[in-house]
Amino acid sequence: MSHTFSYHFRYDDNAFETETSVKQIDVEDSIGRIYAKFVDPRTAADGGVIDDSRHRLLRSKHEQFVRDALHGLSSGFAVLDASQPWLSFWSLNSLDIMNCEIDLPLRQRAFDTVKRFQDSDGGYCGGYKQLPHMAGTYASIMALVLVGGDEAFQTIDREAMYRWLMTMKQPDGSFAMHTDGEVDVRGVYCAMVIASLLNIMTPELIAGSAEFVAQCQTCEGGIGPFPGVEAHGGYTLCGLAALEILGKTELLNLGRLARWMCARQLAFEGGFNGRTNKLVDGCYSYWVGGAFPILQKALERLPSDDYLYERVALQRYVLACCQEGRMGGLRDKPGKSADLYHTMYGLLGLSLSQHYMGVDPEAQIRDTTSIYSVPARMMQWDSVPVMSNVLGAQSNMLKPVHPVYGVSLVPLAKCVKYFYSLPSLAASLS
């Protein structure tokens, strides 16, 4: 596969230099030097034809990067003391997406670590004996999904979790991130993911949440953290995914949302930025790129229509510009260091650009009132093999992942099967 690499796609500051424009041009310079290495010199006029067959996912190096982190981090990581469940989630999920073995001792270590963070009053803390936090709870639950097994699932106190979520619930349908903490779209997403996986959704829990998210859509079209604030890629994925769980994506102006999301892909770099007039960042491969499958379903577009972004260009950016070639791991952009956060979200975005994840329109479940409609609708998502598009070697292919939950399908299905065999907390969601 080849692609014309053109300097005509570069940023034009219209002869008005700003701090932002200087940074943009510097980033484009670094990316241009990388892409130029893949160009056939016989075609190198204002760019050239890129030989995409040369791209390789450095899977073994990324695996070693993650495993080294799991063996212990330096004292410099003390700043992440309140993010300990995230370290487990980022690590386990990166290994799983790359189809690397997560053996029993590693599962046990992760389980023993995460279970200590559960608070007796519900929710999970970011670190031992800290305050329960919505983000830490989300990360803990997702880590336990990847650990899997009845022993891990049985440790989750569903009743206490529900009571805690209800204490975080706000009158406008939003959720606080922790007691007396900030309120934004992340809270709604985390709460909906947790409740939908653990089978603790009730009419009281979800009341007003979809409407709150819809109010966060801005005049640009994306979704901000709360009403009246600038749209951002992370909040857009969180808001759109929460609405997909609730079955209410139609509350958004989808055309305006599509336009804003498409504008986040940068023509020269191929990757996404998270806000208007910002730099490319590998993590938005998921935070923006991962929202496109959900948008595709909301717009009722067919698989043959493909996503509304350039999948190959995103894969090229991740493979050529985000991989740390010496020590492994993925990074924000050239010149930055690799870390677990960008490794996982870069891999998620890469997977979702390789696989077409969708729901068969003819078999789509549209009921949103039954407790069991939630897992039924969520587990309809699957990969459409004929629409897969892997840049470079076929060995670059990753596991398909669920765009709403950000994990692969098998551990997700096992979690859903376990918790939906337990009694629900409500008769229906209506």
Side-chain angles (χ1 to χ4, degrees):
M1 182 182 296
S2 62
H3 173 81
T4 301
F5 165 59
S6 176
Y7 286 102
H8 295 301
F9 293 144
R10 292 201 59 165
Y11 175 77
D12 181 4
D13 65 4
N14 294 306
F16 188 78
E17 185 178 284
T18 66
E19 181 181 351
T20 301
S21 70
V22 170
K23 290 181 178 178
Q24 175 66 28
I25 291 169
D26 286 345
V27 170
E28 289 183 358
D29 284 343
S30 65
I31 290 173
R33 288 191 293 270
I34 292 172
Y35 286 164
K37 297 176 183 178
F38 293 89
V39 168
D40 182 340
R42 295 170 297 179
T43 66
D46 294 322
V49 176
I50 290 182
D51 180 6
D52 281 322
S53 67
R54 294 165 55 194
H55 295 296
R56 295 292 183 273
L57 176 67
L58 307 178
R59 193 185 305 258
S60 60
K61 290 190 176 183
H62 302 328
E63 178 182 4
Q64 192 60 52
F65 175 80
V66 173
R67 294 196 186 280
D68 287 346
L70 287 168
H71 284 300
L73 298 170
S74 69
S75 59
F77 285 88
V79 294
L80 295 178
D81 182 60
S83 300
Q84 293 182 56
W86 284 102
L87 297 172
S88 296
F89 175 45
W90 295 332
S91 301
L92 292 175
N93 206 24
S94 295
L95 292 174
D96 183 61
I97 296 166
M98 292 190 291
N99 207 22
C100 301
E101 182 184 12
I102 304 177
D103 59 20
L104 186 58
L106 178 53
R107 292 177 189 273
Q108 188 65 47
R109 279 183 56 209
F111 169 58
D112 291 341
T113 297
V114 171
K115 73 178 182 181
R116 297 186 305 119
F117 303 143
Q118 184 167 208
D119 189 88
S120 58
D121 292 329
Y124 285 74
C125 311
Y128 186 58
K129 293 297 184 181
Q130 295 178 9
L131 196 67
H133 194 283
M134 193 69 77
T137 301
Y138 162 85
S140 295
I141 295 301
M142 300 313 295
L144 292 173
V145 168
L146 292 163
V147 169
D150 290 2
E151 182 184 6
F153 297 149
Q154 287 167 1
T155 63
I156 301 172
D157 190 335
R158 295 166 67 234
E159 289 73 18
M161 178 72 78
Y162 179 77
R163 291 193 299 270
W164 179 74
L165 287 175
M166 288 301 296
T167 65
M168 296 298 103
K169 183 72 184 287
Q170 305 299 303
D172 63 358
S174 64
F175 289 82
M177 296 302 289
H178 57 85
T179 302
D180 298 326
E182 70 273 25
V183 172
D184 58 50
V185 165
R186 291 176 304 155
V188 178
Y189 171 69
C190 291
M192 293 306 105
V193 166
I194 294 162
S196 64
L197 290 179
L198 303 187
N199 188 13
I200 56 173
M201 295 185 78
T202 67
E204 295 76 19
L205 183 71
I206 67 176
S209 294
E211 290 73 17
F212 172 80
V213 172
Q215 291 170 12
C216 296
Q217 186 173 27
T218 74
C219 59
E220 288 186 282
I223 297 173
F226 47 86
V229 179
E230 182 185 11
H232 184 281
Y235 295 110
T236 297
L237 183 284
C238 287
L240 187 58
L243 290 177
E244 170 63 11
I245 293 172
L246 294 166
K248 293 189 175 182
T249 55
E250 74 278 1
L251 293 182
L252 297 173
N253 183 322
L254 295 172
R256 199 163 66 194
L257 174 63
R259 184 170 60 249
W260 182 87
M261 286 171 53
C262 289
R264 303 280 63 76
Q265 188 168 33
L266 300 167
F268 185 78
E269 301 94 312
F272 291 100
N273 63 15
R275 288 183 286 161
T276 302
N277 209 34
K278 293 295 183 178
L279 301 175
V280 69
D281 187 329
C283 72
Y284 293 114
S285 303
Y286 174 68
W287 291 123
V288 177
F292 276 95
I294 309 172
L295 177 67
Q296 187 89 347
K297 177 175 178 286
L299 291 172
E300 299 184 342
R301 288 170 55 87
L302 297 174
S304 58
D305 297 327
D306 211 344
Y307 298 144
L308 290 169
Y309 77 97
E310 178 50 59
R311 294 162 65 188
V312 166
L314 178 62
Q315 291 182 58
R316 183 181 301 112
Y317 176 70
V318 173
L319 291 171
C321 301
C322 294
Q323 297 192 94
E324 213 294 328
R326 190 171 65 89
M327 301 298 292
L330 275 72
R331 60 195 179 190
D332 163 352
K333 59 177 67 67
K336 299 289 187 177
S337 299
D339 58 62
L340 292 172
Y341 169 87
H342 284 93
T343 296
M344 190 194 83
Y345 287 114
L347 291 171
L348 280 175
L350 183 60
S351 169
L352 285 165
S353 58
Q354 293 174 342
H355 301 277
Y356 182 96
M357 297 299 296
V359 174
D360 183 352
E362 296 183 1
Q364 185 175 331
I365 297 171
R366 298 185 184 275
D367 173 39
T368 60
T369 60
S370 167
I371 293 292
Y372 299 100
S373 69
V374 178
R377 284 188 295 106
M378 291 302 99
M379 296 317 297
Q380 278 196 304
W381 285 88
D382 203 357
S383 174
V384 180
V386 296
M387 291 298 295
S388 66
N389 191 349
V390 179
L391 190 67
Q394 281 298 304
S395 60
N396 292 345
M397 182 179 284
L398 299 168
K399 280 186 179 181
V401 296
H402 199 295
V404 172
Y405 296 97
V407 295
S408 64
L409 302 180
V410 172
L412 189 66
K414 290 180 178 178
C415 173
V416 167
K417 181 179 180 181
Y418 177 87
F419 285 106
Y420 280 84
S421 69
L422 303 178
S424 300
L425 301 187
S428 75
L429 296 178
S430 59

